[in-house]
Amino acid sequence: MTTLRLNANSPADIALAAQLLRAGELVAIPTETVYGLAANALDPAAVAKIFAAKGRPQDNPLIVHVADVSQALPLVKGFPFTAQRLADVFWPGPLTFIVYRAEEVPDIVSAGLSTLALRVPAHPAAQALLRAAKIPLAAPSANRSGSPSPTLASHALYDLNGKIAAVLDAGPCVVGVESTVLDLTRETPCLLRPGGVSVEQLEAVLGQTIEISPAVAHAIENDAPTPSPGMKYRHYAPCGELTLVHGPLQAFIAYAKQEKPDGLLVFDGDMIPYDMPLLRYGDSPEAQAKRLFARLREIDDLGWRRVLVRCPAKEGLGLAVYNRLLRAASYREVRL
Ligand code: TXA
Ligand code: MG
Protein backbone atom coordinates (compact mmCIF):
# COMPACT_ATOMS: atom_id res chain seq x y z
CA MET A 1 0.00 0.00 0.00
CA THR A 2 1.21 3.53 -0.77
CA THR A 3 0.93 5.75 2.27
CA LEU A 4 -0.51 9.16 1.33
CA ARG A 5 1.07 12.26 2.84
CA LEU A 6 -1.70 14.69 3.75
CA ASN A 7 -1.40 18.27 4.98
CA ALA A 8 -3.30 19.12 8.16
CA ASN A 9 -3.63 22.76 7.05
CA SER A 10 -5.66 21.73 4.00
CA PRO A 11 -9.43 21.32 4.61
CA ALA A 12 -9.54 18.99 1.57
CA ASP A 13 -6.87 16.77 3.14
CA ILE A 14 -8.72 16.71 6.49
CA ALA A 15 -11.86 15.66 4.59
CA LEU A 16 -9.93 12.91 2.80
CA ALA A 17 -8.44 11.64 6.08
CA ALA A 18 -11.95 11.56 7.59
CA GLN A 19 -13.23 9.63 4.56
CA LEU A 20 -10.41 7.07 4.82
CA LEU A 21 -11.14 6.57 8.53
CA ARG A 22 -14.85 6.13 7.88
CA ALA A 23 -13.93 3.52 5.24
CA GLY A 24 -12.04 1.46 7.84
CA GLU A 25 -8.49 2.57 6.92
CA LEU A 26 -5.65 3.62 9.25
CA VAL A 27 -4.43 7.23 9.33
CA ALA A 28 -1.59 8.62 11.46
CA ILE A 29 -2.89 11.86 12.94
CA PRO A 30 -1.36 14.76 14.87
CA THR A 31 -2.32 15.40 18.48
CA GLU A 32 -0.75 17.89 20.91
CA THR A 33 1.08 15.02 22.67
CA VAL A 34 2.39 12.66 19.97
CA TYR A 35 1.12 11.40 16.59
CA GLY A 36 -1.58 8.73 16.96
CA LEU A 37 -2.43 5.81 14.66
CA ALA A 38 -6.19 6.22 14.24
CA ALA A 39 -8.98 3.88 13.21
CA ASN A 40 -12.77 3.90 13.60
CA ALA A 41 -13.19 2.77 17.23
CA LEU A 42 -16.59 1.23 16.46
CA ASP A 43 -15.23 -1.01 13.66
CA PRO A 44 -13.43 -4.08 15.09
CA ALA A 45 -11.83 -4.95 11.73
CA ALA A 46 -10.36 -1.45 11.43
CA VAL A 47 -9.07 -1.59 15.02
CA ALA A 48 -7.49 -4.98 14.35
CA LYS A 49 -5.41 -3.33 11.62
CA ILE A 50 -3.86 -1.03 14.25
CA PHE A 51 -2.47 -4.01 16.19
CA ALA A 52 -1.14 -5.56 12.97
CA ALA A 53 0.52 -2.37 11.64
CA LYS A 54 2.23 -1.59 14.96
CA GLY A 55 3.08 -5.16 15.92
CA ARG A 56 1.24 -4.36 19.17
CA PRO A 57 0.55 -7.13 21.71
CA GLN A 58 -3.17 -8.03 21.63
CA ASP A 59 -3.59 -7.48 25.38
CA ASN A 60 -2.57 -3.80 25.29
CA PRO A 61 -5.74 -1.65 25.11
CA LEU A 62 -6.14 1.55 23.06
CA ILE A 63 -7.20 5.11 23.88
CA VAL A 64 -10.40 6.30 22.22
CA HIS A 65 -10.37 9.93 21.05
CA VAL A 66 -13.55 11.98 20.87
CA ALA A 67 -14.33 15.60 19.97
CA ASP A 68 -15.99 16.46 23.28
CA VAL A 69 -17.73 15.03 26.37
CA SER A 70 -21.04 14.55 24.53
CA GLN A 71 -19.34 12.20 22.03
CA ALA A 72 -17.80 10.30 24.95
CA LEU A 73 -21.03 9.60 26.83
CA PRO A 74 -22.44 6.84 24.55
CA LEU A 75 -19.14 4.95 24.89
CA VAL A 76 -19.11 4.66 28.68
CA LYS A 77 -21.18 3.25 31.52
CA GLY A 78 -21.53 6.47 33.51
CA PHE A 79 -19.19 9.44 33.52
CA PRO A 80 -18.05 9.91 37.14
CA PHE A 81 -18.32 13.31 38.80
CA THR A 82 -14.52 13.41 39.13
CA ALA A 83 -14.22 12.92 35.36
CA GLN A 84 -16.62 15.80 34.78
CA ARG A 85 -14.65 18.11 37.09
CA LEU A 86 -11.34 17.23 35.47
CA ALA A 87 -12.79 17.42 31.95
CA ASP A 88 -14.05 20.96 32.66
CA VAL A 89 -10.46 22.04 33.31
CA PHE A 90 -8.24 19.75 31.20
CA TRP A 91 -10.30 18.78 28.13
CA PRO A 92 -9.51 19.24 25.37
CA GLY A 93 -5.98 18.33 26.43
CA PRO A 94 -3.38 15.69 27.28
CA LEU A 95 -5.41 13.79 29.90
CA THR A 96 -6.89 10.29 29.47
CA PHE A 97 -9.53 8.81 31.80
CA ILE A 98 -10.09 5.14 32.49
CA VAL A 99 -13.83 4.60 33.01
CA TYR A 100 -16.26 1.70 32.52
CA ARG A 101 -16.93 0.77 28.91
CA ALA A 102 -20.37 0.64 27.25
CA GLU A 103 -21.37 -2.43 25.19
CA GLU A 104 -21.24 -0.53 21.87
CA VAL A 105 -17.45 -0.33 22.07
CA PRO A 106 -15.92 -3.48 20.56
CA ASP A 107 -13.91 -5.71 22.94
CA ILE A 108 -10.77 -5.42 20.84
CA VAL A 109 -10.47 -1.67 21.65
CA SER A 110 -9.96 -2.38 25.36
CA ALA A 111 -8.30 -5.74 24.83
CA GLY A 112 -11.28 -7.34 26.55
CA LEU A 113 -11.15 -5.17 29.72
CA SER A 114 -14.41 -3.85 31.16
CA THR A 115 -12.92 -0.36 31.12
CA LEU A 116 -12.16 2.18 28.40
CA ALA A 117 -9.48 4.85 28.01
CA LEU A 118 -10.94 8.16 26.74
CA ARG A 119 -9.42 11.44 25.71
CA VAL A 120 -10.40 14.69 23.97
CA PRO A 121 -7.31 15.92 22.12
CA ALA A 122 -6.65 19.66 21.91
CA HIS A 123 -4.78 19.76 18.59
CA PRO A 124 -6.87 21.79 16.10
CA ALA A 125 -6.23 19.25 13.32
CA ALA A 126 -7.34 16.35 15.56
CA GLN A 127 -10.43 18.33 16.51
CA ALA A 128 -11.21 19.16 12.87
CA LEU A 129 -10.74 15.52 11.88
CA LEU A 130 -12.95 14.16 14.68
CA ARG A 131 -15.69 16.62 13.72
CA ALA A 132 -15.39 15.76 10.02
CA ALA A 133 -15.28 11.98 10.58
CA LYS A 134 -18.10 11.98 13.17
CA ILE A 135 -16.81 8.73 14.67
CA PRO A 136 -14.73 8.06 17.78
CA LEU A 137 -11.12 7.23 16.89
CA ALA A 138 -9.11 4.53 18.62
CA ALA A 139 -5.48 5.65 18.47
CA PRO A 140 -2.30 4.45 20.15
CA SER A 141 0.93 6.31 19.45
CA ALA A 142 1.87 5.94 15.75
CA ASN A 143 5.16 4.10 16.26
CA ARG A 144 6.13 0.48 15.78
CA SER A 145 5.50 -1.22 19.11
CA GLY A 146 8.52 -0.72 21.39
CA SER A 147 9.95 2.30 19.52
CA PRO A 148 9.88 5.90 20.77
CA SER A 149 6.58 7.67 20.15
CA PRO A 150 6.47 9.89 17.02
CA THR A 151 6.55 13.66 17.54
CA LEU A 152 6.92 14.37 13.79
CA ALA A 153 4.98 12.98 10.82
CA SER A 154 8.32 11.71 9.47
CA HIS A 155 8.75 9.51 12.59
CA ALA A 156 5.36 7.89 11.95
CA LEU A 157 6.26 7.37 8.28
CA TYR A 158 9.62 5.89 9.18
CA ASP A 159 7.89 3.25 11.32
CA LEU A 160 4.70 2.64 9.33
CA ASN A 161 5.25 3.64 5.68
CA GLY A 162 3.45 1.19 3.39
CA LYS A 163 1.39 -0.26 6.25
CA ILE A 164 -1.17 2.55 6.64
CA ALA A 165 -3.38 4.54 4.26
CA ALA A 166 -2.15 8.05 5.16
CA VAL A 167 -0.25 10.38 7.46
CA LEU A 168 -1.74 13.79 8.27
CA ASP A 169 1.22 16.12 8.75
CA ALA A 170 0.87 19.07 11.15
CA GLY A 171 4.53 19.57 12.04
CA PRO A 172 6.02 18.91 15.50
CA CYS A 173 3.83 18.03 18.50
CA VAL A 174 3.85 20.77 21.14
CA VAL A 175 3.78 18.60 24.30
CA GLY A 176 6.02 15.78 23.05
CA VAL A 177 5.17 13.10 25.63
CA GLU A 178 1.88 11.20 25.73
CA SER A 179 -1.21 12.00 27.74
CA THR A 180 -1.53 11.40 31.47
CA VAL A 181 -3.55 8.21 32.10
CA LEU A 182 -5.77 8.43 35.19
CA ASP A 183 -7.85 5.52 36.45
CA LEU A 184 -11.22 6.81 37.68
CA THR A 185 -12.80 3.41 38.37
CA ARG A 186 -11.50 3.31 41.95
CA GLU A 187 -12.41 5.31 45.02
CA THR A 188 -9.23 7.38 44.78
CA PRO A 189 -8.06 8.40 41.30
CA CYS A 190 -4.87 6.54 40.39
CA LEU A 191 -2.14 7.71 38.03
CA LEU A 192 -1.27 4.87 35.62
CA ARG A 193 1.00 6.89 33.34
CA PRO A 194 2.44 10.38 33.94
CA GLY A 195 2.02 12.66 30.92
CA GLY A 196 1.11 16.08 29.62
CA VAL A 197 -1.00 17.04 32.67
CA SER A 198 1.06 16.84 35.87
CA VAL A 199 0.15 15.19 39.18
CA GLU A 200 0.42 18.62 40.81
CA GLN A 201 -2.13 20.08 38.37
CA LEU A 202 -4.57 17.18 38.96
CA GLU A 203 -4.26 17.41 42.75
CA ALA A 204 -4.76 21.19 42.70
CA VAL A 205 -8.09 20.79 40.88
CA LEU A 206 -9.29 17.78 42.88
CA GLY A 207 -8.16 19.15 46.25
CA GLN A 208 -6.91 15.68 47.22
CA THR A 209 -3.82 13.54 46.71
CA ILE A 210 -4.08 10.91 44.02
CA GLU A 211 -2.52 7.46 44.08
CA ILE A 212 0.50 6.79 41.91
CA SER A 213 0.73 3.31 40.44
CA PRO A 214 4.02 1.61 41.44
CA ALA A 215 4.58 0.94 37.73
CA VAL A 216 5.26 4.65 37.15
CA ALA A 217 8.75 4.46 38.62
CA HIS A 218 9.48 0.71 38.92
CA ALA A 219 9.81 -2.30 36.67
CA ILE A 220 6.76 -4.60 36.55
CA GLU A 221 7.27 -8.34 36.15
CA ASN A 222 6.01 -9.56 32.79
CA ASP A 223 3.44 -11.92 34.27
CA ALA A 224 2.33 -9.67 37.15
CA PRO A 225 -1.22 -8.32 36.97
CA THR A 226 -1.09 -4.60 36.11
CA PRO A 227 -3.84 -2.01 36.08
CA SER A 228 -2.51 -0.75 32.73
CA PRO A 229 -1.23 -3.56 30.52
CA GLY A 230 0.93 -1.20 28.45
CA MET A 231 3.22 -0.56 31.40
CA LYS A 232 4.78 -4.00 31.37
CA TYR A 233 6.10 -3.84 27.81
CA ARG A 234 9.52 -2.71 26.64
CA HIS A 235 8.93 0.83 25.50
CA TYR A 236 10.50 3.88 23.92
CA ALA A 237 13.69 1.91 23.55
CA PRO A 238 16.38 2.84 21.06
CA CYS A 239 18.60 -0.03 19.87
CA GLY A 240 21.48 1.28 21.97
CA GLU A 241 21.77 0.72 25.73
CA LEU A 242 20.86 3.77 27.84
CA THR A 243 21.84 4.32 31.48
CA LEU A 244 20.07 7.00 33.51
CA VAL A 245 22.59 8.78 35.74
CA HIS A 246 21.52 10.65 38.91
CA GLY A 247 23.84 13.17 40.53
CA PRO A 248 25.71 16.42 39.94
CA LEU A 249 27.30 17.36 36.61
CA GLN A 250 30.92 17.02 37.79
CA ALA A 251 30.29 13.46 39.00
CA PHE A 252 28.52 12.69 35.71
CA ILE A 253 31.54 13.88 33.71
CA ALA A 254 33.95 11.86 35.85
CA TYR A 255 31.74 8.78 35.40
CA ALA A 256 31.60 9.34 31.62
CA LYS A 257 35.42 9.56 31.45
CA GLN A 258 35.62 6.23 33.21
CA GLU A 259 32.84 4.44 31.27
CA LYS A 260 33.68 5.84 27.79
CA PRO A 261 30.16 5.51 26.31
CA ASP A 262 29.50 6.23 22.62
CA GLY A 263 27.59 9.37 23.54
CA LEU A 264 25.89 11.46 26.20
CA LEU A 265 22.33 12.80 26.45
CA VAL A 266 22.55 15.95 28.58
CA PHE A 267 20.77 19.22 29.45
CA ASP A 268 21.19 22.33 27.32
CA GLY A 269 23.21 24.20 29.93
CA ASP A 270 25.66 21.38 30.78
CA MET A 271 29.32 22.27 30.15
CA ILE A 272 30.84 19.02 28.81
CA PRO A 273 34.47 18.42 27.70
CA TYR A 274 34.67 19.05 23.93
CA ASP A 275 35.82 15.52 23.00
CA MET A 276 32.68 13.79 24.33
CA PRO A 277 29.96 13.21 21.65
CA LEU A 278 26.63 14.45 22.92
CA LEU A 279 23.01 15.32 22.23
CA ARG A 280 21.10 17.88 24.31
CA TYR A 281 17.44 17.55 25.32
CA GLY A 282 16.59 20.81 27.06
CA ASP A 283 16.73 22.31 30.54
CA SER A 284 13.08 22.84 31.56
CA PRO A 285 10.74 19.84 31.85
CA GLU A 286 8.63 21.35 29.03
CA ALA A 287 11.59 21.57 26.66
CA GLN A 288 12.77 18.09 27.62
CA ALA A 289 9.31 16.59 27.01
CA LYS A 290 9.15 18.24 23.59
CA ARG A 291 12.54 16.94 22.44
CA LEU A 292 13.01 13.60 24.20
CA PHE A 293 11.52 11.17 21.67
CA ALA A 294 13.24 12.80 18.68
CA ARG A 295 16.56 12.52 20.55
CA LEU A 296 15.99 8.81 21.23
CA ARG A 297 15.53 8.30 17.48
CA GLU A 298 18.71 10.29 16.77
CA ILE A 299 20.66 8.01 19.10
CA ASP A 300 19.78 5.16 16.74
CA ASP A 301 20.62 7.22 13.65
CA LEU A 302 24.06 7.89 15.13
CA GLY A 303 24.50 4.20 15.86
CA TRP A 304 25.42 4.80 19.52
CA ARG A 305 25.49 1.49 21.39
CA ARG A 306 26.10 2.81 24.94
CA VAL A 307 24.69 6.14 26.13
CA LEU A 308 24.76 7.89 29.51
CA VAL A 309 21.77 10.14 30.21
CA ARG A 310 21.55 13.00 32.73
CA CYS A 311 18.48 12.23 34.86
CA PRO A 312 15.74 14.91 34.69
CA ALA A 313 13.96 16.44 37.69
CA LYS A 314 10.80 14.49 38.56
CA GLU A 315 8.49 17.43 39.32
CA GLY A 316 5.65 18.55 37.04
CA LEU A 317 6.09 17.37 33.45
CA GLY A 318 9.50 16.05 34.56
CA LEU A 319 7.85 12.92 36.02
CA ALA A 320 6.66 11.95 32.51
CA VAL A 321 10.12 12.61 31.05
CA TYR A 322 11.72 10.50 33.81
CA ASN A 323 9.20 7.68 33.31
CA ARG A 324 9.87 7.50 29.54
CA LEU A 325 13.65 7.59 30.01
CA LEU A 326 13.47 4.89 32.66
CA ARG A 327 11.69 2.59 30.19
CA ALA A 328 14.00 3.56 27.35
CA ALA A 329 16.87 2.60 29.66
CA SER A 330 15.20 -0.71 30.62
CA TYR A 331 15.36 0.58 34.24
CA ARG A 332 19.18 0.88 34.27
CA GLU A 333 19.95 3.65 36.78
CA VAL A 334 23.16 4.77 38.44
CA ARG A 335 23.31 7.08 41.48
CA LEU A 336 26.54 9.06 41.92
O1 TXA B 1 -1.05 11.06 24.19
C1 TXA B 1 -1.48 9.92 24.06
O2 TXA B 1 -2.04 9.32 24.98
C2 TXA B 1 -1.29 9.26 22.68
C3 TXA B 1 -2.10 10.08 21.68
C4 TXA B 1 -2.11 9.45 20.31
O3 TXA B 1 -3.40 10.25 22.18
N1 TXA B 1 -1.73 7.89 22.72
C5 TXA B 1 -1.02 6.93 23.37
O4 TXA B 1 -1.55 5.66 23.25
O5 TXA B 1 -0.02 7.15 23.99
P1 TXA B 1 -0.76 4.34 23.64
O6 TXA B 1 -1.60 3.22 23.17
O7 TXA B 1 0.61 4.41 23.13
O8 TXA B 1 -0.79 4.33 25.20
C6 TXA B 1 -2.02 4.08 25.86
C7 TXA B 1 -1.78 3.64 27.28
C8 TXA B 1 -1.16 2.26 27.32
O9 TXA B 1 -0.20 2.22 28.37
C9 TXA B 1 -2.37 1.39 27.63
O10 TXA B 1 -2.02 0.19 28.28
C10 TXA B 1 -3.19 2.29 28.52
O11 TXA B 1 -3.02 3.58 27.96
N2 TXA B 1 -4.61 1.93 28.49
C11 TXA B 1 -5.45 1.99 27.44
N3 TXA B 1 -6.68 1.52 27.78
C12 TXA B 1 -6.61 1.19 29.08
C13 TXA B 1 -7.54 0.65 30.03
N4 TXA B 1 -8.79 0.36 29.68
N5 TXA B 1 -7.11 0.42 31.28
C14 TXA B 1 -5.84 0.72 31.64
N6 TXA B 1 -4.91 1.23 30.81
C15 TXA B 1 -5.28 1.46 29.54
MG1 MG C 1 2.56 4.06 22.79
Side-chain angles (χ1 to χ4, degrees), residues 29 31-37 54 56 59-63 65 94 96 98-99 109-110 113-119 121 139-143 149 177-181 183 192-193 226-231 235-236:
I29 65 164
T31 82
E32 71 279 21
T33 56
V34 300
Y35 277 78
L37 181 58
K54 278 182 63 96
R56 184 175 176 102
D59 67 348
N60 194 0
L62 308 176
I63 297 175
H65 299 68
T96 296
I98 307 297
V99 289
V109 173
S110 308
L113 297 175
S114 58
T115 54
L116 181 67
L118 266 183
R119 152 163 135 81
S141 48
N143 50 285
S149 295
V177 290
E178 302 90 336
S179 62
T180 301
V181 178
D183 186 351
L192 301 184
R193 179 177 73 179
T226 53
S228 188
M231 292 193 293
H235 232 112
Y236 315 116

Side-chain angles (χ1 to χ4, degrees), residues 41 62-80 83 87 91 93-102 105 109-110 115-121 136-139 179-182 184 193:
L62 308 176
I63 297 175
V64 172
H65 299 68
V66 289
D68 51 33
V69 174
S70 70
Q71 202 188 8
L73 295 180
L75 309 177
V76 300
K77 274 196 187 132
F79 198 65
W91 276 6
L95 178 60
T96 296
F97 298 142
I98 307 297
V99 289
Y100 286 105
R101 170 169 66 108
V105 181
V109 173
S110 308
T115 54
L116 181 67
L118 266 183
R119 152 163 135 81
V120 174
L137 297 176
S179 62
T180 301
V181 178
L182 191 66
L184 296 177
R193 179 177 73 179

Side-chain angles (χ1 to χ4, degrees), residues 132-328:
K134 299 187 177 66
I135 43 174
L137 297 176
S141 48
N143 50 285
R144 270 192 318 117
S145 199
S147 295
S149 295
T151 51
L152 286 172
S154 60
H155 297 159
L157 266 178
Y158 183 88
D159 282 11
L160 300 170
N161 196 10
K163 296 184 175 164
I164 63 177
V167 177
L168 187 60
D169 190 345
C173 299
V174 291
V175 177
V177 290
E178 302 90 336
S179 62
T180 301
V181 178
L182 191 66
D183 186 351
L184 296 177
T185 65
R186 317 192 207 176
E187 211 165 285
T188 307
C190 178
L191 181 82
L192 301 184
R193 179 177 73 179
V197 172
S198 69
V199 172
E200 293 86 340
Q201 285 174 296
L202 293 171
E203 290 183 340
V205 169
L206 293 174
Q208 69 172 119
T209 36
I210 60 172
E211 280 174 30
I212 313 272
S213 164
V216 168
H218 302 282
I220 295 287
E221 293 303 319
N222 242 358
D223 49 1
T226 53
S228 188
M231 292 193 293
K232 71 187 178 197
Y233 291 109
R234 185 184 144 90
H235 232 112
Y236 315 116
C239 303
E241 176 192 285
L242 268 54
T243 303
L244 205 45
V245 183
H246 299 254
L249 177 62
Q250 289 320 313
F252 178 85
I253 292 171
Y255 186 67
K257 281 184 178 155
Q258 171 197 317
E259 291 295 310
K260 300 186 177 49
D262 299 309
L264 308 177
L265 183 59
V266 299
F267 307 145
D268 283 359
D270 289 347
M271 300 281 285
I272 306 283
Y274 71 93
D275 57 343
M276 294 186 175
L278 58 81
L279 290 171
R280 298 187 184 274
Y281 76 111
D283 283 323
S284 67
E286 287 70 27
Q288 291 173 349
K290 212 172 283 189
R291 252 193 270 165
L292 177 66
F293 287 141
R295 289 293 186 255
L296 294 181
R297 285 176 182 263
E298 285 173 55
I299 286 171
D300 280 346
D301 295 342
L302 290 164
W304 289 355
R305 304 305 307 170
R306 284 175 57 243
V307 183
L308 298 183
V309 184
R310 282 268 272 155
C311 188
K314 295 178 202 165
E315 285 74 47
L317 205 48
L319 184 64
V321 176
Y322 171 69
N323 168 273
R324 305 308 187 270
L325 273 169
L326 196 57
R327 272 145 221 274

